[in-house]
Amino acid sequence: GGTVTPPPPPPAAVVSAVRVTANRTAQLDEQGTVALAAEARTSAGAVVAGAPLTWTSLDAGVALVSAAGNGSAVVTAVAPGTARVEVRSATVAATADTATVTVVAIPVARVALADTLLPAALAVGDTGTVAAQPLAASGAVLPGTNGRAVTYTS
């Protein structure tokens, strides 16, 4: 009997393109999240499974992105506006694609006044402080001001 030498492994697939495959365009509310997915392909169009991809928000003031593994990522809304999120091959710098995420402001359903800074009673001529909290229909406190003007009257 002779020694059998196994054939060499096939050459590693070369990534020639990266494409966003899920949620290429997405809209979400403030504080919302959306999942994105992408895949790397060879010049012949074959999927390169497990190809390392990097995700970057090109507009971090509007949306942040974090890799979630297996070519996917999670985008988290920061403020109203439009953000482009780029996915790139970690091994071939010239291969990239983008998704567009639009973050919309949640409408204010009502405003709550926090009066914890007021004394128990005010005499005529005294002043006190209250703080307005814009609330969504769900009752959740809306983040920041994001262009939400509050006017006080008595």
Side-chain angles (χ1 to χ4, degrees), residues 35-51:
L36 302 180
E39 61 188 18
R41 293 188 173 264
T42 66
S43 60
V47 173
V48 181

Side-chain angles (χ1 to χ4, degrees), residues 21 35-39 49-55 65-74 87:
T21 58
L36 302 180
E39 61 188 18
L53 302 175
T54 59
W55 294 87
V65 64
S66 57
N70 296 322
S72 64
V74 174
V87 60

